[in-house]
Amino acid sequence: GGPGPRPPPGCPQRRLGPRERRDLQHEILAVLGLPGRPRPRAPPAGARLPASAPLFMLDLYHAMAGDDDEDGGSRERLLGRADLVMSFVNMVELDRALGPQEPHWKEFRFDLTQIPAGEAVTAAEFRIYKLPSTHPLNRTLHVSMFEVVRERANRESDLFFLDLQTLRAGDEGWLVLDVTAASDRWLLNRNKDLGLRLYVETEDGHSVDPGLAGLLGQRAPRSKQPFMVTFFRASSSPIRAPR
Amino acid sequence: AVRPLKRRLPKKTNELPQPNRLPGIFDDIHGSHGRHVCRRHELYVSFQDLGWLDWVIAPQGYSAYYCEGECSFPLDSCMNATNHAILQSLVHLMKPDAVPKACCAPTKLSATSVLYYDSSNNVILRKHRNMVVKACGCH
């Protein structure tokens, strides 16, 4: 616990030059599996409030780091066999509430360009917060999620079913939808945004506007905005090119 | 020729310290030339010192530790020596110029996790294996 060994008196204390310091940092980033130093855009002043994704990821971090002392056993169970967990916050939200007879839906688009190469997806989930519905809706609601595989100009887009959750109109809390099945396509065309479409129906099959059902979108408070979380497993430990 | 006086070899004590007794203050934890025996030392990697706290959310740094110390025969049990290391340090005694001493190196490593923003402000949690020394020994 004391300070590290003092260099023997004969050893000159050498300060690193700026270029050596940069090389050293680059080397450490490579060990951390990073191509370079990330430059996150400083959140606008108003966005200082804690956001849903970092809050969720911080819980995950404490769960993972807390298990370090028990050397991994329960950690492995808790986080599957993930080496990397990524939460995607860049999202465009489209609301579609056409005429009364048309189905209502909410669509979310995610930028996947930051997905690291060489990592296999072990699980992916879409998280959206639900408040108790303020409208006199049937007690039971069915929330279904689809991937938008291809958009069509003159007709409905091609959709791929991902998950269905049943809940009550009065429920409150985070709704977790499993979107792992959509990840097969990500790895093929990484630079295409991922589109996820969400429908809400009553027990007797009527389409309900997700907002009326109490599902919060981008306009919700930052700590309750929807986001996506993906768990990756390193397919092979990245061999660092020797410098 | 006058027969050189036989040098009295120092009496070798064969007793080894109790297996799990860490060297006490009166034990000779100094190997030859007053150096320390092989053991784990504190090493703190500070992301603050690296100037990275604008994108690393947690931790601010972590104790990575490092191994340093002498692997001198007899390698007692608190040095986690492999059989090969014991053999090598014995042969080193006989041929010090030909065979080096065994090395003090990590025998158990564990992972550490880092939570950070990427350039698109996505939040990433990455587990890095073999980043923390849990135990050292002679190899």
Side-chain angles (χ1 to χ4, degrees), chain A residues 198-222:
Chain A
L198 181 141
Y199 291 87
V200 180
E201 287 178 344
T202 59
E203 195 73 26
D204 45 8
H206 282 101
S207 173
V208 174
D209 178 336
L212 294 187
L215 292 174
L216 300 183
Q218 255 184 335
R219 283 183 290 278
R222 272 171 60 81

Side-chain angles (χ1 to χ4, degrees), chain A residues 5 32 37 83 85 87 233, chain B residues 54 66 123 125 127-129:
Chain A
L32 293 175
R37 174 195 162 117
D83 288 305
V85 185
S87 65
R233 168 102 183 121
Chain B
D54 58 328
Y66 70 95
V123 182
L125 171 56
K127 176 170 63 184
H128 297 286
R129 300 172 188 281

Side-chain angles (χ1 to χ4, degrees), chain A residues 5 21 25 32 34 37-39 41 58 61 64 68 71 75 82-85 87-90 114 233, chain B residues 49-52 54 59 66 108 111 113 115-129:
Chain A
R21 188 176 163 78
Q25 289 195 354
L32 293 175
L34 292 169
R37 174 195 162 117
R39 304 269 175 203
R41 295 184 299 273
L58 204 51
Y61 165 77
M64 194 185 245
D68 262 355
D71 258 347
R75 183 188 61 202
D83 288 305
L84 171 74
V85 185
S87 65
F88 295 86
V89 294
N90 303 328
Q114 296 290 325
R233 168 102 183 121
Chain B
D49 292 353
L50 286 164
W52 286 354
D54 58 328
Y66 70 95
K108 192 171 181 191
S113 317
L115 186 68
Y116 60 92
Y117 285 106
D118 69 6
S119 301
S120 302
N121 285 50
N122 293 314
V123 182
I124 296 179
L125 171 56
R126 196 189 268 267
K127 176 170 63 184
H128 297 286
R129 300 172 188 281

Side-chain angles (χ1 to χ4, degrees), chain A:
Chain A
R6 279 164 298 292
C11 165
Q13 280 275 5
R14 191 166 65 85
R15 293 197 64 75
L16 290 178
R19 174 172 170 69
E20 288 168 314
R21 188 176 163 78
R22 216 176 20 257
D23 282 354
L24 183 79
Q25 289 195 354
H26 208 75
E27 196 61 34
I28 296 179
L29 285 170
V31 167
L32 293 175
L34 292 169
R37 174 195 162 117
R39 304 269 175 203
R41 295 184 299 273
R48 293 269 182 243
L49 299 173
S52 49
L55 286 170
F56 173 76
M57 295 295 282
L58 204 51
D59 288 348
L60 223 50
Y61 165 77
H62 290 309
M64 194 185 245
D67 284 338
D68 262 355
D69 309 338
E70 286 129 49
D71 258 347
S74 54
R75 183 188 61 202
E76 293 290 323
R77 277 193 304 281
L78 188 84
L79 297 174
R81 300 170 48 74
D83 288 305
L84 171 74
V85 185
M86 219 168 152
S87 65
F88 295 86
V89 294
N90 303 328
M91 185 178 61
V92 173
E93 182 178 319
L94 308 170
D95 267 318
R96 187 59 61 93
L98 302 171
Q101 76 290 353
E102 292 288 325
H104 301 262
W105 44 257
K106 207 183 252 296
E107 196 168 293
F108 304 91
R109 296 194 164 267
F110 290 95
D111 164 20
L112 299 180
T113 49
Q114 296 290 325
I115 286 191
E119 306 264 0
V121 175
T122 55
E125 53 191 41
F126 176 77
R127 291 173 158 262
I128 187 166
Y129 196 82
K130 181 185 175 310
L131 292 173
S133 168
T134 52
H135 292 261
L137 292 171
N138 289 31
R139 287 183 53 75
T140 303
L141 296 173
H142 298 294
V143 179
S144 49
M145 177 136 271
F146 295 82
E147 179 192 3
V148 180
V149 177
R150 181 179 306 154
E151 292 188 292
R152 301 285 181 179
N154 51 1
R155 66 177 175 81
E156 184 50 271
S157 305
D158 297 347
L159 300 177
F160 175 70
F161 172 72
L162 295 172
D163 194 9
L164 169 71
Q165 299 277 337
T166 299
L167 39 80
R168 285 199 303 276
D171 285 348
E172 173 166 9
W174 283 101
L175 174 62
V176 181
L177 292 150
D178 184 348
V179 299
T180 309
S183 63
D184 302 342
R185 253 177 290 275
W186 297 350
L187 304 179
L188 298 177
N189 36 13
R190 177 189 321 272
N191 37 19
K192 179 173 170 293
D193 283 358
L194 166 72
L196 295 176
R197 189 178 287 183
L198 181 141
Y199 291 87
V200 180
E201 287 178 344
T202 59
E203 195 73 26
D204 45 8
H206 282 101
S207 173
V208 174
D209 178 336
L212 294 187
L215 292 174
L216 300 183
Q218 255 184 335
R219 283 183 290 278
R222 272 171 60 81
S223 61
K224 292 196 168 61
Q225 289 176 357
F227 61 97
M228 187 174 69
V229 183
T230 305
F231 296 78
F232 296 88
R233 168 102 183 121
S235 31
S236 61
S237 59
I239 309 292
R240 287 188 300 115
R243 280 184 171 70

Side-chain angles (χ1 to χ4, degrees), chain B residues 6-139:
Chain B
K6 245 189 182 189
R7 270 186 313 116
R8 179 181 294 281
L9 289 178
K11 185 172 172 305
K12 278 218 177 319
T13 52
N14 291 330
E15 51 99 18
L16 287 174
Q18 279 72 30
N20 50 10
R21 181 167 70 95
L22 288 177
I25 48 173
F26 299 110
D27 286 315
D28 169 20
I29 63 168
H30 295 281
S32 51
H33 320 305
R35 288 176 57 94
H36 286 269
V37 294
C38 169
R39 66 183 180 85
R40 188 175 79 157
H41 299 261
E42 176 75 33
L43 165 70
Y44 184 73
V45 175
S46 162
F47 293 141
Q48 188 145 12
D49 292 353
L50 286 164
W52 286 354
L53 291 189
D54 58 328
W55 57 277
V56 176
I57 303 170
Q60 305 234 335
Y62 68 97
S63 286
Y65 299 103
Y66 70 95
C67 301
E68 196 214 16
E70 200 83 32
C71 287
S72 300
F73 194 82
L75 300 178
D76 45 14
S77 58
C78 71
M79 293 159 100
N80 291 340
T82 57
N83 289 337
H84 173 270
I86 294 170
L87 195 76
Q88 180 173 337
S89 59
L90 195 62
V91 173
H92 167 75
L93 280 184
M94 296 184 273
K95 308 176 183 172
D97 302 336
V99 173
K101 284 182 179 172
C103 298
C104 177
T107 52
K108 192 171 181 191
L109 291 158
S110 75
T112 188
S113 317
V114 182
L115 186 68
Y116 60 92
Y117 285 106
D118 69 6
S119 301
S120 302
N121 285 50
N122 293 314
V123 182
I124 296 179
L125 171 56
R126 196 189 268 267
K127 176 170 63 184
H128 297 286
R129 300 172 188 281
N130 301 335
M131 293 288 269
V132 178
V133 174
K134 289 291 211 185
C136 299
C138 293
H139 288 256

